[in-house]
Amino acid sequence: MPLYTADALVLRTYKLGEADRIVVFLTADRGKKRGVAKAARRPKSRFMGALEPLTHVRVAYFEREMRELVGLNYAEPVRSPLSGPGESVGHASYFAELLDEWAPADDPNETLFRLGASVLDAMADGVGVDGLARYFEYWLLRLQGVYPPHLVCHRCGERFTGRPEAGAWLSPLDGVLTCAACADGLGGHRLGTALSPGALAFLSHARARGPRELGDLSGAGTVLAELESLHRALMVRHLERELRSPRVLRAMKRGH
Ligand SMILES: [Zn+2]
């Protein structure tokens, strides 16, 4: 039985039998795993304080031939969402649910792991959760090709990072942006959804910087609200197309 150690993020847990838990976790190096944490529901369990959603843990686990579930030897918390401000716990569950939906089993994706871990670190540092949520959603949507990799107009190459003041149009099905001038040139044929100059500026910031550098977004309430409803629509559409879990769809529709 090969034994692995890894950095991982706890995504969710279920009860199993009398005292055990099944733990779904995203490893930094080998993708998403499901494992059994023996006696995790007993008092003084060795897993105590390590299984809250989005906890960054150091885990040791072993894989068994022909079994889908791995066995967890230990999970030691490196950083817990419980150490952040009170409001971060609900958001931590939301981030963990989205990672669970986005990460296929056993498919290594270090980018997703780093995204989750860096957002957890930023929450612990007191970065506002609303800005972090929009940051997190932007990166998930970008990894899926809903947002293009570069913030440029797909027709004329206008770089919104330098001159976002006119706003742009996002076509989520094609994953392209169109500047206002090109959209006007198309006879006012708007491609997709409007992005305000403020929203473009936020995305440009999110694209180039880590979540700890989001800084003070107070005063950006209108922009964050715009991106919240846009991202919700984009994610619901994406998840439904991918036939993912109705659980997250419900959470998104009621506004997590
Ligand atoms: Zn253009």
Side-chain angles (χ1 to χ4, degrees), residues 153-158 160 177-183:
C153 172
H154 81 291
R155 294 183 70 87
C156 71
E158 162 84 48
F160 301 115
L177 288 164
T178 311
C179 75
C182 285

Side-chain angles (χ1 to χ4, degrees), residues 26-37:
L26 179 66
T27 66
D29 55 347
R30 300 179 70 242
K32 186 169 74 175
K33 302 282 174 188
R34 302 158 76 82
V36 177

Side-chain angles (χ1 to χ4, degrees), residues 60-255:
Y61 63 95
F62 53 92
E63 293 193 334
R64 296 170 288 195
E65 251 179 80
M66 311 296 288
R67 300 255 190 104
E68 191 219 345
L69 290 171
V70 305
L72 274 166
N73 277 11
Y74 64 79
E76 289 169 358
V78 175
R79 181 155 245 174
S80 166
L82 300 180
S83 65
E87 57 180 356
S88 50
V89 177
H91 276 78
S93 298
Y94 170 65
F95 297 149
E97 280 192 20
L98 285 180
L99 286 173
D100 190 15
E101 293 307 318
W102 246 257
D106 303 319
D107 182 22
N109 190 329
E110 201 197 341
T111 309
L112 272 187
F113 172 82
R114 277 192 281 114
L115 174 62
S118 64
V119 165
L120 172 66
D121 288 347
M123 268 198 308
D125 287 353
V127 178
V129 288
D130 285 334
L132 279 179
R134 306 298 81 83
Y135 178 95
F136 185 83
E137 292 157 355
Y138 162 72
W139 274 97
L140 285 184
L141 290 165
R142 183 177 156 192
L143 293 170
Q144 292 296 324
V146 176
Y147 273 119
H150 301 289
L151 292 175
V152 297
C153 172
H154 81 291
R155 294 183 70 87
C156 71
E158 162 84 48
R159 297 178 66 85
F160 301 115
T161 43
R163 199 184 67 83
E165 59 270 13
W169 297 84
L170 171 70
S171 172
L173 289 180
D174 316 315
V176 298
L177 288 164
T178 311
C179 75
C182 285
D184 288 344
L186 292 169
H189 177 57
R190 306 300 195 187
L191 300 164
T193 314
L195 283 171
S196 72
L200 275 175
F202 178 90
L203 298 178
S204 155
H205 193 88
R207 182 180 168 275
R209 293 184 177 84
R212 274 173 160 155
E213 297 162 80
L214 279 180
D216 179 19
L217 290 165
S218 56
T222 327
V223 166
L224 294 182
E226 174 191 343
L227 287 172
E228 179 176 11
S229 59
L230 170 63
H231 288 177
R232 189 172 303 155
L234 294 176
M235 294 178 102
V236 165
R237 190 186 308 172
H238 177 76
L239 288 166
E240 280 176 343
R241 201 165 61 219
E242 300 283 316
L243 299 174
R244 304 284 185 121
S245 135
R247 187 169 48 93
V248 172
L249 289 177
R250 280 196 303 272
M252 307 261 355
K253 281 172 175 162
R254 70 170 180 263

